Amino acid sequence: MPDSYLLGLVSISMMTLVALRGVVSKRRKVNGIVSPTRTESLKSVPTVDGECRSADACHTDIIIVGAGVAGAALAHTLGKDGRRVHVIERDLSEPDRIVGELLQPGGYLKLIELGLEDCVEEIDAQQVFGYVIFKDGKHTRLSYPLENFHQDVSGRSFHNGRFIQRMREKAVSLPNVRLEQGVVTSLLEEKGTIRGVQYKTKDGHQLTAFAPLTIVCDGCFSNLRRSLCNPKVEVPSCFVGLVLENCHLPYLNHGHVILADPSPILFYPISSTEVRCLVDVPGQKVPSIANGEMANHLKTVVAPQVPPEIYDSFVAAVDKGNIRTMPNRSMPASPYPTPGALLMGDAFNMRHPLTGGGMTVALSDIVVLRDLLKPLRDLNDAPTLCKYLESFYTLRKPVASTINTLAGALYKVFCASPDQARKEMRQACFDYLSLGGVFSTGPISLLSGLNPRPLSLVLHFFAVAIYGVGRLMLPFPSPKRIWIGARLISGASGIIFPIIKAEGVRQMFFPATVPAYYRRAPRVK
């Protein structure tokens, strides 16, 4: 009889504990983070510290959410270093996007450094050797400074989806990388530390996955970033995308930038028979495609501004009707250092895609993270790892911030404006680049990611402004010209300084003064 009472008391106690834990877990479901105790039908095994994890947890070092450019490249990189990686991607079919199609030479060098250069092979990728800028019937050709590099080094343009599929294939060729289709619905948090993710499989089953480190790379539409950063997303414009078939660009293997009114138009090859056209439309609202407003806008406003060699192909592409749009997002990196989790790629940091620098930043970030993680054998001490990885945010800054700042500043300079000072700045930029020599190789080195130095960016930017003022003062200054020149300098400052402030002045220009810059890998206990 006493045994029966004891058994009943134990049973009631266990049921009470389970009920209490259920109530607590419901209260903790905030900002997309839920406790791992919330999950039903979880096959679990006890670990040495008594924590329950999924059966696969002991076999995963890192979970990567998303298998786009950043996620797939990161999975291959970490897998090659011996990490056991579980990648969860929303859709494993070939992506079909109108951006992420131009890889700058600096990004290609990072691709080589990561051992992924063969991913641009067998996808009909085109080499890109520079840009041609058109303005008011004139043009200037800007070649990448590739003289000191191997002949294979250049930019690459391609179908984004083909490139991603090649990288996914490369990642899963490693036995320790597992790629799964599923939608991650939340991060699993316990006592302030991210322990893994909850996700829904392709078949609709709710599962959890656990790992010492979760890296979120789920792109510009990320539904998880709010928990890990301060997402100040701006949408300055939208791209309207077309594909021109059998179009012969005026300059082979070059990107073409038309300084149109009201904003730039881009052309670049994405295969041996196709040319991508991106028409920038300022603001968040674009003409309707469904009722024909967009086609009319492209034919009447845009078409007259494209070079004559492209005109017929452009109009034919509009008539074909496969017109697509994509908001252009900009978001400076503003992370919340969180034990057990890290943000990467467009989920973490975005810039205007005018300069095609997004993939270069992502691949550069992966190189930085790889080098930081390489000396670590154990990733389980989440607070120590989090403090150590704060150096990632500092070490990435010079490259990322230079490319981000250039993209934002160039977009504002290249857009047309009724303001006379802005008109002068736009013309000064075109004329400055047309001078050749250091005046063109310096800026194109920055844009290409071959020499991403913040100080060089600022010097060239204000050199353009001063050059514009000098043009105004010739043949002789007048009060009106002096006033326009003063507004030109003021406008240039108003363009670049807010972007630099958002990126972080100290980390961008003086990273060595940040304590995290010198942080060393924690010692193995």
Side-chain angles (χ1 to χ4, degrees):
M1 186 68 70
D3 290 341
S4 300
Y5 285 125
L6 182 60
L7 181 61
L9 181 62
V10 171
S11 300
I12 292 171
S13 300
M14 291 296 292
M15 291 174 66
T16 303
L17 282 172
V18 170
L20 285 173
R21 293 185 70 170
V23 171
V24 171
S25 67
K26 287 181 181 179
R27 291 181 179 178
R28 293 181 68 182
K29 189 174 182 181
V30 181
N31 292 331
I33 300 180
V34 299
S35 166
T37 56
R38 170 74 173 81
T39 307
E40 294 88 7
S41 66
L42 169 63
K43 183 180 179 182
S44 60
V45 293
T47 61
V48 291
D49 57 0
E51 182 185 33
C52 284
R53 297 182 172 221
S54 65
D56 289 335
C58 297
H59 305 292
T60 302
D61 296 315
I62 297 172
I63 293 170
I64 297 176
V65 182
V69 171
L74 184 63
H76 175 266
T77 300
L78 298 179
K80 196 168 63 170
D81 282 349
R83 306 288 184 187
R84 296 164 296 186
V85 182
H86 182 189
V87 188
I88 305 171
E89 161 59 33
R90 178 184 297 270
D91 185 359
L92 289 177
S93 61
E94 184 175 306
D96 183 14
R97 304 180 65 202
I98 65 171
V99 292
E101 297 172 317
L102 179 63
L103 180 66
Q104 297 288 2
Y108 182 73
L109 288 174
K110 296 299 179 184
L111 211 61
I112 293 173
E113 195 171 344
L114 295 171
L116 290 166
E117 67 273 19
D118 57 344
C119 291
V120 297
E121 298 174 1
E122 300 177 12
I123 60 172
D124 200 16
Q126 304 297 298
Q127 285 191 293
V128 178
F129 297 110
Y131 284 87
V132 183
I133 302 179
F134 296 78
K135 185 181 187 297
D136 300 331
K138 298 180 180 179
H139 67 272
T140 183
R141 184 176 177 178
L142 308 173
S143 298
Y144 295 136
L146 301 172
E147 298 81 12
N148 298 324
F149 297 95
H150 186 273
Q151 62 180 4
D152 188 53
V153 176
S154 66
R156 292 293 195 283
S157 53
F158 39 67
H159 281 271
N160 172 268
R162 296 176 188 175
F163 180 57
I164 288 175
Q165 290 298 83
R166 285 282 288 155
M167 288 206 291
R168 288 174 178 174
E169 291 168 8
K170 187 93 172 179
V172 297
S173 68
L174 300 173
N176 50 325
V177 175
R178 175 188 172 204
L179 179 58
E180 181 179 8
Q181 182 163 311
V183 178
V184 175
T185 54
S186 58
L187 302 174
L188 301 176
E189 179 265 351
E190 182 180 294
K191 297 179 181 178
T193 298
I194 302 301
R195 298 295 187 185
V197 299
Q198 180 171 288
Y199 66 103
K200 184 180 291 186
T201 67
K202 187 178 180 179
D203 299 329
H205 297 107
Q206 288 280 355
L207 297 179
T208 58
F210 296 91
L213 179 62
T214 298
I215 303 178
V216 176
C217 307
D218 56 345
C220 62
F221 299 106
S222 174
N223 64 340
L224 302 176
R225 67 158 67 99
R226 227 168 253 286
S227 307
L228 303 174
C229 77
N230 181 18
K232 294 181 179 179
V233 181
E234 294 183 4
V235 183
S237 66
C238 296
F239 267 156
V240 178
L242 298 165
V243 173
L244 281 58
E245 297 178 349
N246 299 310
C247 171
H248 300 289
L249 292 171
Y251 290 85
L252 294 177
N253 301 107
H254 281 71
H256 292 58
V257 182
I258 291 84
L259 302 189
D261 186 359
S263 52
I265 307 167
L266 306 180
F267 294 92
Y268 52 87
I270 54 174
S271 75
S272 55
T273 60
E274 298 164 300
V275 169
R276 168 66 70 196
C277 171
L278 294 174
V279 179
D280 185 84
V281 178
Q284 300 182 26
K285 188 176 180 180
V286 298
S288 171
I289 296 175
N291 65 13
E293 286 181 9
M294 178 64 77
N296 182 62
H297 172 78
L298 293 174
K299 285 185 176 181
T300 58
V301 177
V302 178
Q305 301 186 72
V306 306
E309 300 94 325
I310 311 175
Y311 180 86
D312 290 340
S313 296
F314 179 83
V315 172
V318 175
D319 288 337
K320 190 173 182 180
N322 188 19
I323 304 171
R324 302 173 59 191
T325 62
M326 176 75 177
N328 294 324
R329 292 173 171 80
S330 176
M331 184 183 76
S334 182
Y336 301 142
T338 306
L342 197 70
L343 273 171
M344 295 279 286
D346 282 350
F348 173 50
N349 184 205
M350 293 180 281
R351 76 291 310 149
H352 196 285
L354 172 69
T355 59
M359 290 188 287
T360 300
V361 171
L363 295 171
S364 176
D365 284 354
I366 291 170
V367 170
V368 172
L369 183 62
R370 177 201 65 183
D371 293 344
L372 286 172
L373 292 178
K374 190 165 285 187
L376 301 182
R377 297 181 186 175
D378 185 9
L379 304 177
N380 284 289
D381 188 347
T384 301
L385 178 63
C386 178
K387 190 169 183 63
Y388 169 59
L389 288 181
E390 284 181 14
S391 61
F392 167 75
Y393 304 119
T394 301
L395 295 172
R396 71 178 292 275
K397 271 293 179 180
V399 173
S401 295
T402 301
I403 294 173
N404 294 345
T405 304
L406 180 64
L410 263 188
Y411 176 70
K412 291 184 177 180
V413 170
F414 279 180
C415 284
S417 172
D419 181 73
Q420 187 61 37
R422 288 285 296 273
K423 286 182 180 178
E424 291 292 340
M425 183 69 178
R426 192 188 197 207
Q427 186 63 49
C429 185
F430 179 81
D431 291 345
Y432 182 89
L433 294 171
S434 301
L435 292 173
V438 68
F439 306 106
S440 63
T441 57
I444 202 72
S445 292
L446 293 164
L447 184 146
S448 63
L450 294 172
N451 183 30
R453 293 166 57 189
L455 185 58
S456 178
L457 167 62
V458 173
L459 290 175
H460 278 288
F461 188 81
F462 280 102
V464 169
I466 293 168
Y467 176 76
V469 173
R471 291 171 64 255
L472 284 167
M473 297 300 106
L474 297 174
F476 56 86
S478 66
K480 181 180 179 180
R481 287 170 175 266
I482 292 172
W483 172 240
I484 293 174
R487 286 172 48 221
L488 192 157
I489 295 292
S490 174
S493 302
I495 287 173
I496 197 167
F497 286 146
I499 302 173
I500 291 175
K501 182 180 178 182
E503 290 292 329
V505 176
R506 187 180 177 190
Q507 287 181 310
M508 184 172 174
F509 292 96
F510 311 105
T513 67
V514 181
Y517 183 85
Y518 301 99
R519 200 152 288 162
R520 294 289 179 261
R523 294 181 179 179
V524 179
K525 296 180 181 179

